[in-house]
Amino acid sequence: MNLIKNILLLGLLVLSQISFSQISDDVMLYRKDFKSISGKNTVSVTSYEKDGSHYVFAGGVGNIDVYSLDKEGILTPISNHELHMKKGPARGMVADRINGTDFLFVANKHGNVIETFKILNNGSLERVALIEDTDKTYLGTAITLQVVHMKKASYLFIGGLEETPGLSSFKIHNDGKLTHVQSMKDDETVHTDGIIGMYVHNIKGKTYLYTGGFQDNGVSSFRVYDDGTFKNINNISDNNTDRYLTGAYPVTGGVTIAENKYVIVGHRHHKYYKRGGFIKKTDFVYHGDGVSVFKVNKKGALVPHFVLKDDETTKLQGQTRIEIISTNNAEAILAVGTRDDASIQLLKLNKEGILTPINYLETGFSIYYGLRSHKIEDNNFLIAGSFRFDLGKIASYKIAPKINREGKVLRHIVNLKYKEDATDAQIDTAVKVFLDLKNEIPEIAHIEWGGVNDSTEGASKGFTHTFTITFNSEHDREIYLFHKAHLKLVNEVGPIIGDVFVMDYWTKNN
């Protein structure tokens, strides 16, 4: 009986791996929720599980917002917390447990400080420590944080965009306070000028840290020792042919598949920056957009391995964040957030280190570092924040098998009830503005409105106006939802709306 049971269990395991591989070839993002933020925008997003509850932290200019996240992907606001001197934006946020206490570490970019918050039982925050920049610690314009756990202590590594840049290590104490261990000044060899991404791999009991140098146009490897000190191992620079490292940005895609260890690096190319004087090395070469795969050798050094180049089927322009959604012994699923394509691109990495595109979703807003993957039970989610100052939203997406929409269109039904004191002139203007969205948002295939409700059944519940909007894809609906013209409509018409009822459905394209 035990033999038969073991054979059945093995068979189920094999089937589960096969089905995962089949599904991963065609997964898609489906938005589950979106909520407003109290900050001026969302720059960084992280998440954390504490005592079985799941929390999302969204950091922008001035504030950090805290939400709970349930297994359906619904976000519920909990609290918001003011950054030191109301500065920010909050960057490089990382949550971790240090000797039994849960902390959120935040780089206050323009406040030139690192803030430590204790994560309370309901997910809200309490500031417990703050460390200011000095001329030797490179905390000014801090952007990226990485917790590194060693045998006897944990350390916080910090990088940023200072005029005199470098990489620093601080010991994390049980109360969340930090003490300086080592700082390494940037030079012509290492790539630590503009560290926007870091990742850690452990190889045969040794710990290695990898950084991207945005201004240096390259990536570096460092060995980290038990006392929190570190030394440079190797450095790889951009070239004028195939490296795709100009403006090296996210270095968050570290993956272990079977016996192979990889680091995935994206970039937001310098050509996308319009600010004069911001880019230090202006003699760069633009040879396209691409995501680079580096293999980690036995000595912890990075070795160029593969590049997935952007083309007309992918959305990889202006990569700002790479997140790992899932891994097994055969492959990993990754998500790439983009600022310039305003999309989330899903990719698959096989054990040979080859990246292939799966699907993408045009989010309707630019992502600027604010992307985070999170798993609850068997559900994989992505949480993305809008960088736009006019939007102020954070959204959750579920990763699931792609639904076949071939030959179908999406109907978006908006039913409106106007307030009793709304005048006829105000209502006529509101109708005109709604219908004019077709001219403002090209992604709208069609808008229909035939007139005021004429039902005599008494079941209209006061709703008088129904607009039917047709979209050809999920992308079009997302772009419409967060489009500036739609937001303007909501703000202008909102004061005279008594209630709204919205339904969406897919139907055959007749």
Side-chain angles (χ1 to χ4, degrees):
M1 289 295 294
N2 287 336
L3 178 61
I4 294 174
K5 183 178 180 181
N6 289 336
I7 291 173
L8 289 173
L9 288 173
L10 180 61
L12 289 172
L13 177 62
V14 171
L15 285 173
S16 67
Q17 290 181 339
I18 291 174
S19 63
F20 178 88
S21 179
Q22 291 170 341
I23 291 173
S24 68
D25 287 333
D26 205 20
V27 291
M28 183 60 178
L29 302 91
Y30 296 96
R31 180 173 44 77
K32 305 303 293 184
D33 194 16
F34 66 92
K35 288 293 190 298
S36 297
I37 60 170
S38 64
K40 295 181 180 178
N41 64 350
T42 302
V43 176
S44 299
V45 175
T46 196
S47 60
Y48 194 66
E49 180 180 355
K50 178 179 173 67
D51 301 328
S53 297
H54 300 263
Y55 302 105
V56 171
F57 305 98
V61 175
N63 272 59
I64 299 172
D65 288 277
V66 183
Y67 307 84
S68 64
L69 179 71
D70 69 15
K71 63 181 181 180
E72 304 301 324
I74 304 303
L75 294 158
T76 302
I78 293 176
S79 58
N80 59 76
H81 304 270
E82 198 174 87
L83 290 168
H84 177 62
M85 297 175 62
K86 299 182 181 181
K87 293 282 188 175
R91 293 294 298 264
M93 298 193 303
V94 57
D96 213 322
R97 174 164 286 192
I98 307 298
N99 288 334
T101 304
D102 302 304
F103 295 107
L104 177 71
F105 302 97
V106 180
N108 186 329
K109 181 179 177 181
H110 293 299
N112 295 329
V113 297
I114 305 300
E115 303 187 49
T116 304
F117 295 89
K118 182 180 178 181
I119 302 174
L120 304 180
N121 290 335
N122 69 342
S124 61
L125 304 175
E126 175 187 324
R127 185 188 289 110
V128 294
L130 184 142
I131 184 166
E132 297 183 277
D133 187 29
T134 71
D135 57 0
K136 296 181 180 179
T137 56
Y138 313 114
L139 304 184
T141 326
I143 289 179
T144 303
L145 304 179
Q146 179 72 49
V147 174
V148 180
H149 296 287
M150 304 303 290
K151 291 180 180 179
K152 296 182 179 180
S154 297
Y155 300 90
L156 187 68
F157 280 75
I158 303 164
L161 277 167
E162 278 201 295
E163 289 300 315
T164 56
L167 174 65
S168 292
S169 168
F170 287 77
K171 183 178 179 179
I172 306 172
H173 296 275
N174 292 347
D175 58 1
K177 293 181 179 178
L178 307 174
T179 56
H180 183 244
V181 175
Q182 180 188 350
S183 291
M184 180 183 291
K185 184 179 180 180
D186 184 67
D187 58 28
E188 294 299 317
T189 302
V190 298
H191 298 312
T192 55
D193 188 349
I195 299 176
I196 305 181
M198 287 191 275
Y199 190 80
V200 173
H201 268 306
N202 293 296
I203 302 172
K204 294 183 177 181
K206 298 178 180 178
T207 300
Y208 297 91
L209 176 74
Y210 305 97
T211 69
F214 172 82
Q215 296 282 13
D216 282 334
N217 303 328
V219 290
S220 290
S221 311
F222 298 89
R223 169 80 186 278
V224 181
Y225 297 94
D226 286 340
D227 61 358
T229 60
F230 56 95
K231 76 171 183 178
N232 184 230
I233 300 297
N234 83 319
N235 309 283
I236 299 173
S237 300
D238 190 47
N239 59 22
N240 58 8
T241 55
D242 60 356
R243 285 283 169 82
Y244 294 82
L245 290 176
T246 301
Y249 212 107
V251 190
T252 52
V255 176
T256 299
I257 304 177
E259 71 281 2
N260 299 318
K261 294 183 181 294
Y262 301 102
V263 172
I264 296 88
V265 180
H267 66 176
R268 186 167 191 250
H269 204 282
H270 289 170
K271 92 180 196 77
Y272 296 120
Y273 286 83
K274 308 302 181 184
R275 284 180 287 167
F278 177 65
I279 302 302
K280 295 179 181 179
K281 300 177 182 179
T282 57
D283 58 343
F284 57 82
V285 175
Y286 178 66
H287 39 74
D289 290 87
V291 179
S292 300
V293 179
F294 293 87
K295 195 169 186 177
V296 181
N297 67 18
K298 295 180 180 180
K299 295 183 179 181
L302 294 177
V303 179
H305 184 73
F306 179 79
V307 175
L308 173 65
K309 300 177 183 178
D310 186 43
D311 60 26
E312 67 278 359
T313 68
T314 56
K315 294 289 184 179
L316 296 175
Q317 291 190 13
Q319 306 143 44
T320 57
R321 188 74 178 175
I322 298 175
E323 285 287 303
I324 308 302
I325 296 172
S326 61
T327 60
N328 62 17
N329 288 330
E331 62 189 26
I333 306 301
L334 290 69
V336 181
T338 57
R339 180 173 176 180
D340 296 273
D341 268 339
S343 301
I344 300 174
Q345 172 77 57
L346 299 178
L347 306 174
K348 181 170 75 172
L349 180 75
N350 65 19
K351 63 181 179 181
E352 286 77 29
I354 306 301
L355 272 177
T356 53
I358 304 176
N359 292 303
Y360 63 79
L361 178 68
E362 296 181 67
T363 57
F365 54 81
S366 57
I367 297 171
Y368 193 50
Y369 198 84
L371 183 69
R372 172 72 172 182
S373 66
H374 191 87
K375 186 172 184 178
I376 302 179
E377 297 177 0
D378 293 328
N379 300 318
N380 290 304
F381 297 101
L382 284 168
I383 304 98
S386 167
F387 179 65
R388 284 167 41 192
F389 281 80
D390 68 319
L391 185 52
K393 303 291 183 185
I394 184 172
S396 63
Y397 305 86
K398 185 176 181 179
I399 311 301
K402 186 176 182 181
I403 301 171
N404 185 6
R405 309 289 198 192
E406 186 175 353
K408 294 184 177 181
V409 295
L410 176 63
R411 307 285 192 212
H412 177 69
I413 314 299
V414 181
N415 302 280
L416 297 176
K417 178 194 297 184
Y418 292 95
K419 292 180 179 179
E420 293 184 1
D421 58 355
T423 66
D424 290 342
Q426 286 177 315
I427 294 173
D428 290 343
T429 299
V431 170
K432 182 180 184 304
V433 172
F434 206 121
L435 295 175
D436 281 346
L437 289 178
K438 178 67 174 65
N439 301 319
E440 297 287 335
I441 308 175
E443 287 74 18
I444 294 176
H446 182 67
I447 289 184
E448 178 183 347
W449 178 70
V452 178
N453 172 53
D454 192 35
S455 175
T456 59
E457 297 179 63
S460 302
K461 298 183 178 180
F463 288 91
T464 58
H465 290 64
T466 296
F467 300 87
T468 301
I469 304 177
T470 301
F471 301 108
N472 291 322
S473 70
E474 280 101 344
H475 312 290
D476 296 342
R477 175 173 56 182
E478 298 304 300
I479 293 171
Y480 154 83
L481 181 64
F482 300 119
H483 196 281
K484 292 182 178 180
H486 181 231
L487 298 177
K488 182 179 179 182
L489 165 71
V490 172
N491 290 332
E492 290 182 353
V493 178
I496 66 169
I497 298 296
D499 202 357
V500 60
F501 179 64
V502 179
M503 289 187 64
D504 291 7
Y505 66 93
W506 291 87
T507 186
K508 290 184 179 180
N509 187 11
N510 296 321

Coordinates of all heavy atoms in Angstrom, one line a residue, residues 417-481:
K417 N -26.8 58.1 -11.4 CA -27.9 58.8 -10.8 C -27.4 60.2 -10.4 O -26.4 60.3 -9.6 CB -28.3 58.0 -9.6 CG -29.5 58.6 -8.8 CD -29.6 58.0 -7.4 CE -30.0 56.5 -7.5 NZ -30.2 55.9 -6.2
Y418 N -28.1 61.2 -10.8 CA -27.7 62.6 -10.5 C -28.3 63.0 -9.2 O -29.5 62.6 -8.9 CB -28.0 63.5 -11.6 CG -27.1 63.2 -12.8 CD1 -27.6 62.4 -13.9 CD2 -25.8 63.8 -13.0 CE1 -26.8 62.2 -15.0 CE2 -25.0 63.5 -14.1 CZ -25.5 62.7 -15.1 OH -24.8 62.4 -16.2
K419 N -27.7 63.9 -8.5 CA -28.3 64.5 -7.3 C -29.5 65.3 -7.6 O -29.7 65.9 -8.7 CB -27.3 65.4 -6.6 CG -26.1 64.6 -6.0 CD -25.1 65.5 -5.3 CE -23.9 64.8 -4.7 NZ -22.9 65.6 -4.0
E420 N -30.4 65.4 -6.6 CA -31.7 66.1 -6.9 C -31.5 67.6 -7.2 O -32.3 68.2 -7.9 CB -32.6 65.9 -5.6 CG -33.1 64.5 -5.4 CD -34.0 64.4 -4.2 OE1 -34.3 65.5 -3.6 OE2 -34.5 63.3 -4.0
D421 N -30.4 68.1 -6.6 CA -30.2 69.6 -6.9 C -29.4 69.9 -8.1 O -29.0 71.0 -8.4 CB -29.6 70.2 -5.7 CG -28.2 69.6 -5.3 OD1 -27.8 68.6 -5.9 OD2 -27.6 70.2 -4.4
A422 N -29.0 68.8 -8.9 CA -28.3 69.0 -10.1 C -29.2 69.6 -11.2 O -30.4 69.2 -11.4 CB -27.8 67.7 -10.7
T423 N -28.8 70.7 -11.8 CA -29.6 71.4 -12.8 C -29.6 70.7 -14.2 O -28.6 69.9 -14.4 CB -29.1 72.8 -13.0 OG1 -27.8 72.8 -13.6 CG2 -29.1 73.6 -11.7
D424 N -30.5 70.9 -15.0 CA -30.5 70.3 -16.4 C -29.3 70.7 -17.1 O -28.7 69.9 -17.9 CB -31.8 70.8 -17.1 CG -33.1 70.2 -16.6 OD1 -33.0 69.2 -15.8 OD2 -34.2 70.7 -16.8
A425 N -28.9 72.0 -17.0 CA -27.7 72.4 -17.7 C -26.4 71.7 -17.2 O -25.6 71.3 -18.0 CB -27.5 73.9 -17.4
Q426 N -26.3 71.4 -15.9 CA -25.2 70.6 -15.4 C -25.2 69.2 -15.9 O -24.2 68.7 -16.3 CB -25.2 70.6 -13.9 CG -24.8 71.9 -13.2 CD -25.0 71.9 -11.7 OE1 -26.0 71.3 -11.2 NE2 -24.0 72.3 -11.0
I427 N -26.4 68.6 -16.0 CA -26.5 67.2 -16.5 C -26.2 67.2 -18.0 O -25.5 66.3 -18.4 CB -27.9 66.7 -16.2 CG1 -28.1 66.5 -14.7 CG2 -28.1 65.3 -16.9 CD1 -29.5 66.2 -14.3
D428 N -26.7 68.2 -18.7 CA -26.4 68.2 -20.2 C -24.9 68.3 -20.4 O -24.3 67.7 -21.3 CB -27.1 69.4 -20.9 CG -28.6 69.1 -20.9 OD1 -29.1 68.0 -20.8 OD2 -29.4 70.1 -21.1
T429 N -24.2 69.1 -19.6 CA -22.8 69.3 -19.7 C -22.1 68.0 -19.4 O -21.1 67.6 -20.1 CB -22.3 70.4 -18.8 OG1 -22.9 71.7 -19.2 CG2 -20.8 70.6 -18.9
A430 N -22.5 67.3 -18.3 CA -21.9 66.1 -17.9 C -22.0 65.0 -19.0 O -21.1 64.3 -19.3 CB -22.6 65.6 -16.6
V431 N -23.2 65.0 -19.7 CA -23.4 64.0 -20.8 C -22.4 64.3 -21.9 O -21.8 63.4 -22.5 CB -24.8 64.0 -21.3 CG1 -25.0 63.2 -22.5 CG2 -25.8 63.5 -20.2
K432 N -22.3 65.6 -22.3 CA -21.4 66.0 -23.4 C -20.0 65.6 -23.1 O -19.2 65.1 -23.9 CB -21.5 67.5 -23.6 CG -20.7 68.0 -24.8 CD -20.9 69.4 -25.0 CE -20.1 69.9 -26.2 NZ -18.6 69.6 -26.2
V433 N -19.5 65.9 -21.8 CA -18.1 65.6 -21.4 C -17.9 64.1 -21.5 O -16.8 63.6 -22.0 CB -17.8 66.1 -20.0 CG1 -16.5 65.6 -19.5 CG2 -17.9 67.6 -20.0
F434 N -18.9 63.3 -21.0 CA -18.7 61.8 -21.1 C -18.6 61.4 -22.5 O -17.7 60.6 -22.9 CB -19.9 61.2 -20.4 CG -19.6 59.8 -19.9 CD1 -19.8 59.5 -18.5 CD2 -19.2 58.8 -20.7 CE1 -19.5 58.3 -18.0 CE2 -18.9 57.5 -20.2 CZ -19.0 57.3 -18.8
L435 N -19.4 61.8 -23.4 CA -19.4 61.4 -24.8 C -18.1 61.9 -25.5 O -17.6 61.2 -26.4 CB -20.6 61.9 -25.6 CG -22.0 61.3 -25.1 CD1 -23.1 62.0 -25.8 CD2 -22.0 59.8 -25.3
D436 N -17.6 63.0 -25.1 CA -16.4 63.6 -25.7 C -15.1 62.7 -25.3 O -14.1 62.9 -25.9 CB -16.1 65.0 -25.2 CG -17.0 66.0 -26.0 OD1 -17.6 65.6 -27.0 OD2 -17.1 67.1 -25.5
L437 N -15.2 61.8 -24.4 CA -14.1 60.9 -24.0 C -13.6 60.1 -25.3 O -12.4 59.8 -25.4 CB -14.5 59.9 -22.9 CG -14.7 60.5 -21.5 CD1 -15.1 59.4 -20.6 CD2 -13.4 61.1 -21.0
K438 N -14.6 59.9 -26.2 CA -14.2 59.1 -27.4 C -13.1 59.9 -28.2 O -12.2 59.3 -28.8 CB -15.4 58.9 -28.3 CG -15.1 58.2 -29.6 CD -14.7 56.7 -29.4 CE -14.6 56.0 -30.7 NZ -13.5 56.4 -31.5
N439 N -13.2 61.2 -28.1 CA -12.2 62.0 -28.9 C -10.9 62.2 -28.1 O -9.9 62.5 -28.7 CB -12.8 63.4 -29.2 CG -14.1 63.3 -30.0 OD1 -14.2 62.5 -30.9 ND2 -15.1 64.1 -29.6
E440 N -11.0 62.0 -26.8 CA -9.8 62.2 -25.9 C -9.0 60.9 -25.7 O -7.8 60.9 -25.5 CB -10.2 62.7 -24.6 CG -10.9 64.1 -24.6 CD -9.9 65.2 -24.9 OE1 -8.7 65.0 -24.6 OE2 -10.4 66.2 -25.4
I441 N -9.7 59.8 -25.8 CA -9.0 58.5 -25.5 C -9.2 57.6 -26.7 O -10.2 56.9 -26.9 CB -9.7 57.8 -24.2 CG1 -9.7 58.8 -23.0 CG2 -8.9 56.6 -23.8 CD1 -10.4 58.3 -21.8
P442 N -8.2 57.4 -27.5 CA -8.3 56.6 -28.7 C -8.6 55.1 -28.5 O -9.1 54.4 -29.3 CB -6.9 56.7 -29.3 CG -6.3 58.0 -28.7 CD -6.9 58.1 -27.4
E443 N -8.3 54.7 -27.2 CA -8.5 53.2 -26.9 C -10.0 52.9 -26.8 O -10.3 51.7 -26.8 CB -7.8 52.9 -25.6 CG -6.3 52.8 -25.8 CD -5.6 54.1 -25.9 OE1 -6.2 55.1 -25.5 OE2 -4.4 54.1 -26.3
I444 N -10.8 53.9 -26.7 CA -12.3 53.7 -26.7 C -12.7 53.4 -28.1 O -12.6 54.2 -29.0 CB -13.0 54.9 -26.1 CG1 -12.7 55.1 -24.6 CG2 -14.6 54.7 -26.3 CD1 -13.3 56.4 -24.0
A445 N -13.3 52.2 -28.3 CA -13.8 51.8 -29.6 C -15.1 52.5 -30.0 O -15.4 52.8 -31.1 CB -13.9 50.3 -29.8
H446 N -15.9 52.6 -28.9 CA -17.3 53.2 -29.2 C -17.9 53.6 -27.9 O -17.7 52.9 -26.8 CB -18.2 52.1 -29.9 CG -19.5 52.6 -30.3 ND1 -19.7 53.6 -31.2 CD2 -20.8 52.3 -29.8 CE1 -21.0 53.8 -31.3 NE2 -21.7 53.1 -30.4
I447 N -18.7 54.7 -27.9 CA -19.5 55.1 -26.8 C -20.9 55.2 -27.3 O -21.2 55.8 -28.3 CB -19.1 56.4 -26.2 CG1 -17.7 56.3 -25.4 CG2 -20.1 56.9 -25.2 CD1 -17.3 57.6 -24.7
E448 N -21.9 54.7 -26.5 CA -23.3 54.8 -26.8 C -24.1 55.4 -25.7 O -23.9 55.0 -24.5 CB -23.8 53.4 -27.2 CG -25.3 53.4 -27.5 CD -25.9 52.0 -27.8 OE1 -25.1 51.1 -28.0 OE2 -27.1 51.8 -27.8
W449 N -24.9 56.3 -26.0 CA -25.9 56.8 -25.1 C -27.1 57.3 -25.8 O -27.0 58.1 -26.7 CB -25.4 58.0 -24.3 CG -26.4 58.6 -23.3 CD1 -26.9 58.0 -22.2 CD2 -27.1 59.8 -23.4 NE1 -27.8 58.8 -21.6 CE2 -28.0 59.9 -22.3 CE3 -27.1 60.9 -24.4 CZ2 -28.8 61.0 -22.1 CZ3 -27.9 62.0 -24.2 CH2 -28.7 62.1 -23.1
G450 N -28.3 56.7 -25.5 CA -29.5 57.0 -26.3 C -30.5 57.9 -25.7 O -31.3 58.4 -26.4
G451 N -30.3 58.2 -24.5 CA -31.2 59.1 -23.8 C -31.5 58.7 -22.4 O -31.0 57.8 -21.8
V452 N -32.4 59.5 -21.7 CA -32.7 59.4 -20.3 C -33.6 58.1 -20.2 O -34.4 57.8 -21.0 CB -33.4 60.6 -19.8 CG1 -33.8 60.4 -18.3 CG2 -32.5 61.8 -19.9
N453 N -33.4 57.5 -19.0 CA -34.2 56.2 -18.7 C -35.7 56.5 -18.9 O -36.3 57.4 -18.5 CB -33.9 55.8 -17.3 CG -34.8 54.7 -16.8 OD1 -34.9 53.7 -17.4 ND2 -35.5 54.9 -15.7
D454 N -36.3 55.5 -19.6 CA -37.8 55.6 -19.9 C -38.5 54.3 -19.4 O -39.6 54.0 -19.8 CB -38.0 55.7 -21.4 CG -39.4 56.1 -21.7 OD1 -40.0 56.9 -20.9 OD2 -39.9 55.6 -22.8
S455 N -37.9 53.6 -18.4 CA -38.5 52.4 -17.9 C -39.7 52.7 -17.0 O -39.7 53.7 -16.3 CB -37.5 51.6 -17.1 OG -38.1 50.5 -16.5
T456 N -40.8 51.9 -17.1 CA -42.0 52.1 -16.3 C -42.2 51.0 -15.3 O -43.3 50.9 -14.7 CB -43.2 52.2 -17.2 OG1 -43.4 51.0 -18.0 CG2 -43.1 53.4 -18.2
E457 N -41.2 50.2 -15.1 CA -41.3 49.0 -14.2 C -41.1 49.4 -12.7 O -41.3 48.6 -11.8 CB -40.4 47.9 -14.6 CG -40.7 47.3 -16.0 CD -39.7 46.2 -16.4 OE1 -39.6 45.2 -15.7 OE2 -38.9 46.4 -17.3
G458 N -40.5 50.5 -12.5 CA -40.2 51.0 -11.1 C -39.0 50.3 -10.5 O -38.9 50.3 -9.3
A459 N -38.1 49.8 -11.3 CA -37.0 49.0 -10.8 C -35.7 49.8 -11.1 O -34.6 49.2 -11.0 CB -36.9 47.6 -11.3
S460 N -35.7 51.0 -11.6 CA -34.5 51.7 -12.0 C -33.7 52.3 -10.9 O -32.6 52.7 -11.0 CB -34.9 52.9 -13.0 OG -35.6 52.4 -14.1
K461 N -34.4 52.3 -9.7 CA -33.7 52.8 -8.4 C -33.1 54.2 -8.6 O -32.0 54.5 -8.0 CB -32.7 51.8 -8.0 CG -33.3 50.4 -7.7 CD -32.2 49.4 -7.1 CE -32.9 48.1 -6.8 NZ -32.0 47.1 -6.3
G462 N -33.7 55.0 -9.4 CA -33.3 56.4 -9.5 C -32.2 56.6 -10.6 O -31.8 57.8 -10.8
F463 N -31.7 55.6 -11.2 CA -30.6 55.8 -12.2 C -31.3 56.2 -13.5 O -32.3 55.6 -14.0 CB -29.9 54.5 -12.4 CG -28.9 54.1 -11.3 CD1 -29.4 53.3 -10.2 CD2 -27.6 54.6 -11.3 CE1 -28.5 53.0 -9.2 CE2 -26.8 54.3 -10.2 CZ -27.2 53.5 -9.2
T464 N -30.7 57.3 -14.1 CA -31.4 57.9 -15.2 C -30.5 57.8 -16.5 O -31.1 57.9 -17.6 CB -31.7 59.4 -15.0 OG1 -30.4 60.0 -14.6 CG2 -32.6 59.5 -13.8
H465 N -29.2 57.7 -16.4 CA -28.4 57.7 -17.6 C -27.5 56.5 -17.6 O -26.8 56.1 -16.6 CB -27.5 59.0 -17.5 CG -28.2 60.3 -17.8 ND1 -29.2 60.7 -16.9 CD2 -28.1 61.2 -18.8 CE1 -29.7 61.9 -17.3 NE2 -29.0 62.2 -18.4
T466 N -27.4 55.8 -18.8 CA -26.6 54.7 -19.0 C -25.7 54.9 -20.2 O -26.2 55.1 -21.3 CB -27.4 53.4 -19.2 OG1 -28.2 53.1 -18.0 CG2 -26.5 52.2 -19.4
F467 N -24.4 54.7 -20.0 CA -23.4 54.9 -21.1 C -22.8 53.5 -21.3 O -22.4 52.8 -20.3 CB -22.3 55.9 -20.7 CG -22.9 57.3 -20.5 CD1 -23.3 57.7 -19.3 CD2 -22.9 58.2 -21.6 CE1 -23.8 58.9 -19.1 CE2 -23.4 59.5 -21.4 CZ -23.9 59.8 -20.1
T468 N -22.7 53.1 -22.5 CA -22.0 51.8 -22.9 C -20.8 52.1 -23.7 O -20.8 52.7 -24.7 CB -23.0 50.9 -23.7 OG1 -24.1 50.6 -22.9 CG2 -22.3 49.6 -24.0
I469 N -19.6 51.7 -23.1 CA -18.3 52.0 -23.7 C -17.8 50.6 -24.2 O -17.8 49.6 -23.4 CB -17.3 52.6 -22.8 CG1 -17.9 53.9 -22.2 CG2 -16.0 52.9 -23.5 CD1 -17.0 54.7 -21.2
T470 N -17.3 50.5 -25.4 CA -16.7 49.3 -25.9 C -15.2 49.4 -26.0 O -14.7 50.4 -26.6 CB -17.3 49.0 -27.3 OG1 -18.7 48.9 -27.2 CG2 -16.8 47.7 -27.9
F471 N -14.5 48.4 -25.5 CA -13.1 48.2 -25.6 C -12.8 47.0 -26.4 O -13.5 46.0 -26.3 CB -12.4 48.2 -24.3 CG -12.7 49.4 -23.4 CD1 -13.5 49.3 -22.3 CD2 -12.1 50.6 -23.7 CE1 -13.7 50.4 -21.5 CE2 -12.3 51.7 -22.9 CZ -13.1 51.7 -21.8
N472 N -11.6 47.0 -27.1 CA -11.2 45.8 -27.8 C -10.2 44.9 -27.0 O -9.9 43.8 -27.4 CB -10.5 46.2 -29.1 CG -11.5 46.8 -30.1 OD1 -12.7 46.3 -30.2 ND2 -11.1 47.8 -30.8
S473 N -9.8 45.4 -25.8 CA -8.8 44.5 -25.1 C -8.8 45.0 -23.6 O -9.3 46.1 -23.3 CB -7.4 44.7 -25.7 OG -6.9 45.9 -25.5
E474 N -8.1 44.2 -22.8 CA -7.9 44.6 -21.4 C -7.0 45.8 -21.3 O -7.2 46.7 -20.4 CB -7.2 43.5 -20.6 CG -8.1 42.4 -20.1 CD -8.0 41.1 -21.0 OE1 -7.5 41.2 -22.2 OE2 -8.5 40.1 -20.6
H475 N -6.0 45.9 -22.2 CA -5.1 47.1 -22.2 C -5.9 48.4 -22.4 O -5.7 49.4 -21.7 CB -4.2 47.0 -23.4 CG -3.5 45.7 -23.5 ND1 -2.5 45.3 -22.6 CD2 -3.6 44.7 -24.4 CE1 -2.1 44.1 -23.0 NE2 -2.7 43.7 -24.1
D476 N -6.9 48.4 -23.3 CA -7.7 49.6 -23.6 C -8.5 50.0 -22.4 O -8.6 51.2 -22.1 CB -8.6 49.3 -24.8 CG -7.8 49.1 -26.0 OD1 -6.6 49.4 -26.1 OD2 -8.4 48.5 -27.0
R477 N -9.1 49.1 -21.6 CA -9.8 49.4 -20.4 C -8.9 50.0 -19.4 O -9.3 51.0 -18.7 CB -10.5 48.2 -19.9 CG -11.2 48.5 -18.5 CD -12.0 47.3 -18.0 NE -11.3 46.1 -17.9 CZ -11.8 44.9 -17.5 NH1 -13.1 44.8 -17.3 NH2 -11.0 43.8 -17.4
E478 N -7.7 49.5 -19.2 CA -6.8 50.0 -18.2 C -6.4 51.4 -18.5 O -6.3 52.3 -17.7 CB -5.5 49.1 -18.1 CG -5.8 47.7 -17.6 CD -6.6 47.6 -16.3 OE1 -6.0 48.1 -15.3 OE2 -7.7 47.1 -16.3
I479 N -6.1 51.7 -19.8 CA -5.7 53.0 -20.3 C -6.8 54.0 -20.0 O -6.6 55.1 -19.6 CB -5.2 53.0 -21.7 CG1 -3.9 52.1 -21.8 CG2 -5.0 54.4 -22.3 CD1 -3.5 51.9 -23.3
Y480 N -8.0 53.6 -20.4 CA -9.2 54.5 -20.2 C -9.4 54.8 -18.7 O -9.6 56.0 -18.3 CB -10.4 53.8 -20.7 CG -11.7 54.2 -20.0 CD1 -12.4 55.3 -20.4 CD2 -12.3 53.4 -19.0 CE1 -13.6 55.7 -19.8 CE2 -13.5 53.8 -18.4 CZ -14.1 54.9 -18.8 OH -15.3 55.3 -18.2
L481 N -9.3 53.8 -17.8 CA -9.6 54.0 -16.4 C -8.7 55.0 -15.8 O -9.1 55.8 -15.0 CB -9.4 52.6 -15.7 CG -9.7 52.6 -14.2 CD1 -11.2 53.0 -13.9 CD2 -9.4 51.3 -13.6

